[in-house]
Short mmCIF file of all heavy atoms in Angstrom, two decimals:
data_model
loop_
_atom_site.label_atom_id
_atom_site.label_comp_id
_atom_site.label_asym_id
_atom_site.label_seq_id
_atom_site.Cartn_x
_atom_site.Cartn_y
_atom_site.Cartn_z
N VAL B 56 7.24 11.51 7.95
CA VAL B 56 6.15 12.37 8.25
C VAL B 56 6.46 13.88 8.02
O VAL B 56 5.52 14.71 7.75
CB VAL B 56 5.53 12.16 9.79
CG1 VAL B 56 6.44 12.94 10.71
CG2 VAL B 56 4.13 12.54 9.80
N LYS B 57 7.71 14.28 8.19
CA LYS B 57 8.08 15.69 7.91
C LYS B 57 7.74 16.09 6.45
O LYS B 57 7.23 17.11 6.20
CB LYS B 57 9.52 15.88 8.27
CG LYS B 57 9.99 17.32 8.03
CD LYS B 57 11.56 17.38 8.33
CE LYS B 57 11.88 16.94 9.74
NZ LYS B 57 13.41 17.25 10.01
N LEU B 58 8.13 15.13 5.51
CA LEU B 58 7.80 15.36 4.09
C LEU B 58 6.30 15.33 3.90
O LEU B 58 5.77 16.16 3.18
CB LEU B 58 8.45 14.32 3.23
CG LEU B 58 10.01 14.25 3.24
CD1 LEU B 58 10.52 13.13 2.42
CD2 LEU B 58 10.51 15.61 2.53
N TRP B 59 5.63 14.39 4.56
CA TRP B 59 4.15 14.30 4.46
C TRP B 59 3.38 15.71 4.81
O TRP B 59 2.55 16.15 4.17
CB TRP B 59 3.58 13.23 5.19
CG TRP B 59 2.04 12.90 5.02
CD1 TRP B 59 1.57 12.18 4.08
CD2 TRP B 59 1.03 13.55 5.75
NE1 TRP B 59 0.16 12.14 4.22
CE2 TRP B 59 -0.21 12.93 5.26
CE3 TRP B 59 0.87 14.35 6.86
CZ2 TRP B 59 -1.47 13.31 5.64
CZ3 TRP B 59 -0.38 14.66 7.31
CH2 TRP B 59 -1.47 14.20 6.79
N ARG B 60 3.86 16.21 6.01
CA ARG B 60 3.28 17.45 6.44
C ARG B 60 3.61 18.64 5.54
O ARG B 60 2.88 19.56 5.52
CB ARG B 60 3.78 17.80 7.91
CG ARG B 60 3.21 16.77 8.96
CD ARG B 60 3.78 16.85 10.25
NE ARG B 60 3.16 15.99 11.33
CZ ARG B 60 3.82 15.58 12.33
NH1 ARG B 60 5.04 15.98 12.69
NH2 ARG B 60 3.11 14.87 13.31
N ARG B 61 4.77 18.61 4.89
CA ARG B 61 5.18 19.63 3.95
C ARG B 61 4.60 19.40 2.69
O ARG B 61 4.77 20.20 1.73
CB ARG B 61 6.67 19.64 3.85
CG ARG B 61 7.43 20.34 5.03
CD ARG B 61 9.01 19.98 5.03
NE ARG B 61 9.49 20.01 3.68
CZ ARG B 61 10.62 19.48 3.40
NH1 ARG B 61 11.45 18.86 4.34
NH2 ARG B 61 11.17 19.48 2.11
N ALA B 62 3.71 18.44 2.41
CA ALA B 62 3.05 18.04 1.10
C ALA B 62 4.14 17.82 0.11
O ALA B 62 4.09 18.35 -1.07
CB ALA B 62 2.11 19.12 0.83
N THR B 63 5.18 17.08 0.45
CA THR B 63 6.26 16.78 -0.55
C THR B 63 6.32 15.29 -0.63
O THR B 63 6.35 14.55 0.37
CB THR B 63 7.60 17.30 0.02
OG1 THR B 63 7.54 18.75 0.29
CG2 THR B 63 8.69 16.93 -0.90
N GLU B 64 6.44 14.87 -1.99
CA GLU B 64 6.50 13.44 -2.21
C GLU B 64 7.68 12.77 -1.40
O GLU B 64 8.74 13.41 -1.22
CB GLU B 64 6.67 13.14 -3.77
CG GLU B 64 5.38 13.61 -4.57
CD GLU B 64 5.63 13.42 -6.04
OE1 GLU B 64 6.81 13.11 -6.39
OE2 GLU B 64 4.70 13.53 -6.69
N GLN B 65 7.49 11.46 -0.96
CA GLN B 65 8.64 10.69 -0.31
C GLN B 65 9.47 10.35 -1.47
O GLN B 65 9.13 10.20 -2.64
CB GLN B 65 7.98 9.36 0.16
CG GLN B 65 6.87 9.68 1.29
CD GLN B 65 7.53 10.22 2.47
OE1 GLN B 65 8.70 10.05 2.82
NE2 GLN B 65 6.66 10.97 3.27
N GLY B 66 10.77 10.28 -1.06
CA GLY B 66 11.80 9.74 -1.86
C GLY B 66 11.70 8.29 -2.06
O GLY B 66 10.92 7.57 -1.36
N ARG B 67 12.41 7.76 -2.99
CA ARG B 67 12.52 6.27 -3.20
C ARG B 67 12.89 5.62 -1.93
O ARG B 67 13.81 6.16 -1.27
CB ARG B 67 13.31 5.89 -4.35
CG ARG B 67 12.76 6.22 -5.80
CD ARG B 67 13.70 5.87 -6.79
NE ARG B 67 14.14 4.35 -6.79
CZ ARG B 67 13.31 3.47 -7.27
NH1 ARG B 67 12.20 3.78 -7.89
NH2 ARG B 67 13.69 2.22 -7.14
N THR B 68 12.27 4.57 -1.51
CA THR B 68 12.55 3.85 -0.34
C THR B 68 13.90 3.24 -0.55
O THR B 68 14.15 2.46 -1.28
CB THR B 68 11.55 2.71 -0.03
OG1 THR B 68 10.16 3.34 0.09
CG2 THR B 68 11.88 1.98 1.31
N GLN B 69 14.88 3.62 0.33
CA GLN B 69 16.30 3.08 0.27
C GLN B 69 16.46 2.47 1.61
O GLN B 69 16.69 3.13 2.56
CB GLN B 69 17.26 4.20 -0.04
CG GLN B 69 17.05 5.01 -1.29
CD GLN B 69 17.35 4.18 -2.48
OE1 GLN B 69 17.97 3.13 -2.45
NE2 GLN B 69 16.81 4.50 -3.62
N ILE B 70 16.52 1.11 1.60
CA ILE B 70 16.72 0.35 2.77
C ILE B 70 17.80 -0.62 2.67
O ILE B 70 17.77 -1.41 1.60
CB ILE B 70 15.35 -0.31 3.13
CG1 ILE B 70 14.28 0.70 3.36
CG2 ILE B 70 15.57 -1.11 4.51
CD1 ILE B 70 12.86 0.07 3.53
N ALA B 71 18.70 -0.70 3.53
CA ALA B 71 19.65 -1.78 3.53
C ALA B 71 19.13 -3.03 4.13
O ALA B 71 19.00 -3.24 5.41
CB ALA B 71 20.94 -1.41 4.40
N GLY B 72 18.59 -3.93 3.36
CA GLY B 72 17.93 -5.08 3.76
C GLY B 72 16.50 -4.63 4.22
O GLY B 72 15.84 -3.81 3.71
N MET B 73 15.95 -5.33 5.33
CA MET B 73 14.64 -5.17 5.70
C MET B 73 14.42 -4.02 6.81
O MET B 73 15.24 -3.93 7.62
CB MET B 73 14.00 -6.39 6.27
CG MET B 73 12.60 -6.28 6.97
SD MET B 73 11.36 -6.05 5.64
CE MET B 73 11.44 -7.57 4.79
N LYS B 74 13.39 -3.21 6.57
CA LYS B 74 13.10 -2.20 7.60
C LYS B 74 11.67 -2.55 8.03
O LYS B 74 10.70 -2.43 7.41
CB LYS B 74 13.20 -0.74 6.96
CG LYS B 74 12.60 0.32 7.97
CD LYS B 74 13.55 0.54 9.11
CE LYS B 74 12.99 1.75 10.06
NZ LYS B 74 13.93 1.82 11.19
N SER B 75 11.68 -2.81 9.42
CA SER B 75 10.28 -3.28 10.08
C SER B 75 10.05 -2.10 11.04
O SER B 75 10.85 -1.84 11.93
CB SER B 75 10.36 -4.63 10.67
OG SER B 75 9.05 -4.91 11.23
N VAL B 76 8.83 -1.46 10.94
CA VAL B 76 8.45 -0.54 11.83
C VAL B 76 7.49 -1.08 12.71
O VAL B 76 6.46 -1.70 12.37
CB VAL B 76 7.78 0.77 11.15
CG1 VAL B 76 7.33 1.84 12.10
CG2 VAL B 76 8.81 1.33 10.23
N SER B 77 7.59 -0.98 14.06
CA SER B 77 6.59 -1.50 15.09
C SER B 77 6.03 -0.46 15.84
O SER B 77 6.73 0.40 16.39
CB SER B 77 7.21 -2.59 15.97
OG SER B 77 7.82 -3.62 15.24
N MET B 78 4.72 -0.48 16.12
CA MET B 78 4.05 0.48 16.90
C MET B 78 3.21 -0.28 17.97
O MET B 78 2.61 -1.34 17.75
CB MET B 78 3.00 1.24 15.98
CG MET B 78 3.57 2.10 14.98
SD MET B 78 2.21 3.04 14.10
CE MET B 78 3.15 3.68 12.72
N ASN B 79 3.25 0.26 19.31
CA ASN B 79 2.32 -0.35 20.25
C ASN B 79 1.14 0.56 20.38
O ASN B 79 1.24 1.78 20.61
CB ASN B 79 3.11 -0.31 21.74
CG ASN B 79 4.35 -1.31 21.65
OD1 ASN B 79 4.28 -2.35 21.06
ND2 ASN B 79 5.50 -1.00 22.41
N LEU B 80 0.00 0.01 19.90
CA LEU B 80 -1.20 0.77 19.86
C LEU B 80 -2.13 0.28 20.99
O LEU B 80 -2.00 -0.85 21.55
CB LEU B 80 -1.93 0.60 18.50
CG LEU B 80 -1.07 0.92 17.22
CD1 LEU B 80 -1.87 0.77 16.03
CD2 LEU B 80 -0.52 2.41 17.44
N VAL B 81 -3.20 1.06 21.27
CA VAL B 81 -4.13 0.67 22.25
C VAL B 81 -5.59 0.74 21.64
O VAL B 81 -5.87 1.78 20.89
CB VAL B 81 -4.11 1.69 23.55
CG1 VAL B 81 -5.06 1.32 24.50
CG2 VAL B 81 -2.63 1.62 24.01
N ASP B 82 -6.37 -0.25 21.91
CA ASP B 82 -7.66 -0.26 21.19
C ASP B 82 -8.79 0.37 22.19
O ASP B 82 -8.36 0.86 23.17
CB ASP B 82 -8.17 -1.69 20.85
CG ASP B 82 -8.41 -2.59 22.09
OD1 ASP B 82 -8.34 -2.05 23.21
OD2 ASP B 82 -8.58 -3.85 21.78
N GLY B 83 -10.00 0.26 21.75
CA GLY B 83 -11.04 0.92 22.60
C GLY B 83 -11.20 0.51 24.02
O GLY B 83 -11.80 1.21 24.76
N ASP B 84 -10.75 -0.71 24.10
CA ASP B 84 -10.97 -1.39 25.57
C ASP B 84 -9.61 -1.26 26.34
O ASP B 84 -9.38 -1.99 27.28
CB ASP B 84 -11.33 -2.83 25.42
CG ASP B 84 -12.83 -2.98 24.89
OD1 ASP B 84 -13.64 -2.14 25.23
OD2 ASP B 84 -12.95 -3.95 23.96
N ASP B 85 -8.77 -0.36 25.86
CA ASP B 85 -7.40 -0.19 26.55
C ASP B 85 -6.50 -1.44 26.40
O ASP B 85 -5.61 -1.50 27.32
CB ASP B 85 -7.67 0.25 27.99
CG ASP B 85 -8.15 1.66 27.98
OD1 ASP B 85 -7.82 2.54 27.00
OD2 ASP B 85 -8.88 2.07 29.04
N ARG B 86 -6.74 -2.29 25.57
CA ARG B 86 -5.98 -3.41 25.33
C ARG B 86 -4.61 -3.07 24.51
O ARG B 86 -4.91 -2.49 23.45
CB ARG B 86 -6.61 -4.61 24.69
CG ARG B 86 -7.70 -5.27 25.67
CD ARG B 86 -8.36 -6.33 24.92
NE ARG B 86 -9.12 -5.89 23.74
CZ ARG B 86 -9.88 -6.67 23.03
NH1 ARG B 86 -9.88 -8.03 23.21
NH2 ARG B 86 -10.36 -6.22 21.83
N PRO B 87 -3.45 -3.32 24.89
CA PRO B 87 -2.27 -2.99 24.13
C PRO B 87 -2.06 -4.00 22.98
O PRO B 87 -2.37 -5.23 23.08
CB PRO B 87 -1.12 -3.13 25.05
CG PRO B 87 -1.53 -4.15 26.14
CD PRO B 87 -3.08 -3.89 26.20
N ILE B 88 -1.71 -3.47 21.76
CA ILE B 88 -1.64 -4.32 20.56
C ILE B 88 -0.37 -3.83 19.84
O ILE B 88 -0.20 -2.55 19.65
CB ILE B 88 -2.79 -4.13 19.67
CG1 ILE B 88 -4.07 -4.55 20.34
CG2 ILE B 88 -2.63 -5.09 18.32
CD1 ILE B 88 -5.31 -3.88 19.62
N ARG B 89 0.51 -4.67 19.49
CA ARG B 89 1.73 -4.39 18.74
C ARG B 89 1.52 -4.79 17.34
O ARG B 89 1.21 -5.90 16.97
CB ARG B 89 2.99 -5.11 19.27
CG ARG B 89 4.30 -4.77 18.61
CD ARG B 89 5.48 -5.26 19.19
NE ARG B 89 5.72 -4.66 20.49
CZ ARG B 89 6.23 -5.30 21.58
NH1 ARG B 89 6.46 -6.62 21.51
NH2 ARG B 89 6.39 -4.80 22.68
N VAL B 90 1.74 -3.73 16.50
CA VAL B 90 1.54 -3.94 15.12
C VAL B 90 2.86 -3.67 14.33
O VAL B 90 3.50 -2.46 14.55
CB VAL B 90 0.54 -2.92 14.60
CG1 VAL B 90 0.26 -3.25 13.10
CG2 VAL B 90 -0.81 -3.09 15.27
N SER B 91 3.33 -4.47 13.48
CA SER B 91 4.56 -4.41 12.90
C SER B 91 4.45 -4.29 11.36
O SER B 91 3.67 -5.06 10.82
CB SER B 91 5.54 -5.54 13.12
OG SER B 91 5.87 -5.58 14.44
N PHE B 92 5.01 -3.38 10.75
CA PHE B 92 4.89 -3.10 9.30
C PHE B 92 6.24 -3.24 8.68
O PHE B 92 7.20 -2.37 8.94
CB PHE B 92 4.34 -1.68 8.95
CG PHE B 92 3.16 -1.39 9.79
CD1 PHE B 92 3.13 -0.78 10.97
CD2 PHE B 92 1.89 -1.55 9.06
CE1 PHE B 92 1.93 -0.41 11.60
CE2 PHE B 92 0.78 -1.20 9.84
CZ PHE B 92 0.77 -0.65 11.03
N PRO B 93 6.47 -4.21 7.77
CA PRO B 93 7.70 -4.26 6.98
C PRO B 93 7.65 -3.17 5.92
O PRO B 93 6.86 -3.27 4.96
CB PRO B 93 7.86 -5.68 6.51
CG PRO B 93 6.29 -6.14 6.49
CD PRO B 93 5.64 -5.45 7.53
N ASP B 94 8.40 -2.17 6.02
CA ASP B 94 8.39 -1.00 4.90
C ASP B 94 9.41 -1.60 3.89
O ASP B 94 10.61 -1.23 4.01
CB ASP B 94 8.69 0.38 5.55
CG ASP B 94 8.47 1.40 4.48
OD1 ASP B 94 7.73 1.15 3.42
OD2 ASP B 94 9.00 2.55 4.82
N VAL B 95 8.92 -2.18 2.92
CA VAL B 95 9.83 -2.89 1.90
C VAL B 95 9.64 -2.22 0.60
O VAL B 95 8.62 -1.92 0.14
CB VAL B 95 9.40 -4.36 1.75
CG1 VAL B 95 10.25 -5.07 0.77
CG2 VAL B 95 9.31 -5.03 3.16
N PRO B 96 10.74 -1.97 -0.18
CA PRO B 96 10.67 -1.52 -1.48
C PRO B 96 9.76 -2.23 -2.40
O PRO B 96 9.97 -3.53 -2.34
CB PRO B 96 12.15 -1.55 -1.90
CG PRO B 96 12.98 -1.57 -0.79
CD PRO B 96 12.24 -2.30 0.36
N GLY B 97 9.05 -1.65 -3.20
CA GLY B 97 8.12 -2.39 -4.09
C GLY B 97 8.89 -3.30 -5.03
O GLY B 97 8.34 -4.33 -5.40
N GLU B 98 10.11 -3.02 -5.32
CA GLU B 98 10.81 -3.81 -6.17
C GLU B 98 11.05 -5.31 -5.64
O GLU B 98 11.18 -6.18 -6.33
CB GLU B 98 12.15 -3.16 -6.51
CG GLU B 98 12.27 -2.02 -7.43
CD GLU B 98 11.75 -0.74 -6.84
OE1 GLU B 98 11.45 -0.73 -5.52
OE2 GLU B 98 11.51 0.29 -7.47
N ASP B 99 11.03 -5.37 -4.29
CA ASP B 99 11.09 -6.72 -3.72
C ASP B 99 10.00 -7.65 -4.10
O ASP B 99 10.04 -8.72 -4.24
CB ASP B 99 11.32 -6.59 -2.14
CG ASP B 99 12.65 -6.12 -1.72
OD1 ASP B 99 13.43 -5.61 -2.50
OD2 ASP B 99 12.95 -6.24 -0.54
N TYR B 100 8.73 -6.93 -4.10
CA TYR B 100 7.56 -7.69 -4.35
C TYR B 100 7.62 -7.95 -5.90
O TYR B 100 7.10 -9.11 -6.40
CB TYR B 100 6.29 -6.95 -3.98
CG TYR B 100 6.20 -6.69 -2.56
CD1 TYR B 100 6.34 -5.51 -2.04
CD2 TYR B 100 6.07 -7.80 -1.67
CE1 TYR B 100 6.25 -5.22 -0.56
CE2 TYR B 100 5.96 -7.58 -0.29
CZ TYR B 100 5.99 -6.33 0.25
OH TYR B 100 5.91 -6.19 1.59
N ARG B 101 8.10 -7.04 -6.71
CA ARG B 101 8.20 -7.28 -8.10
C ARG B 101 9.15 -8.45 -8.39
O ARG B 101 8.85 -9.29 -9.32
CB ARG B 101 8.62 -6.06 -8.82
CG ARG B 101 8.89 -6.30 -10.36
CD ARG B 101 9.23 -4.90 -11.09
NE ARG B 101 7.96 -4.18 -11.23
CZ ARG B 101 8.04 -2.83 -11.60
NH1 ARG B 101 9.08 -2.25 -11.72
NH2 ARG B 101 6.85 -2.23 -11.81
N ARG B 102 10.26 -8.55 -7.65
CA ARG B 102 11.16 -9.60 -7.82
C ARG B 102 10.55 -10.96 -7.63
O ARG B 102 10.91 -11.89 -8.23
CB ARG B 102 12.26 -9.38 -6.93
CG ARG B 102 13.59 -10.25 -7.27
CD ARG B 102 14.70 -9.90 -6.44
NE ARG B 102 15.07 -8.42 -6.61
CZ ARG B 102 15.01 -7.52 -5.58
NH1 ARG B 102 14.66 -7.92 -4.31
NH2 ARG B 102 15.29 -6.25 -5.82
N MET B 103 9.47 -10.97 -6.63
CA MET B 103 8.95 -12.41 -6.35
C MET B 103 8.12 -12.62 -7.54
O MET B 103 7.99 -13.96 -7.98
CB MET B 103 7.82 -12.17 -5.34
CG MET B 103 8.54 -11.96 -3.89
SD MET B 103 7.34 -11.61 -2.57
CE MET B 103 6.31 -13.13 -2.65
#
Side-chain angles (χ1 to χ4, degrees):
V56 82
K57 184 183 298 184
L58 292 173
W59 186 90
R60 288 170 176 158
R61 284 166 37 195
T63 301
E64 292 177 352
Q65 300 291 332
R67 287 177 57 84
T68 305
Q69 300 293 339
I70 303 171
M73 174 69 63
K74 170 70 179 178
S75 183
V76 178
S77 294
M78 300 181 186
N79 294 326
L80 305 179
V81 180
D82 69 9
D84 295 322
D85 291 326
R86 292 179 297 180
I88 304 158
R89 179 171 295 143
V90 186
S91 296
F92 307 90
D94 190 14
V95 183
E98 286 77 7
D99 285 15
Y100 298 114
R101 175 174 284 170
R102 195 173 302 115
M103 290 175 62

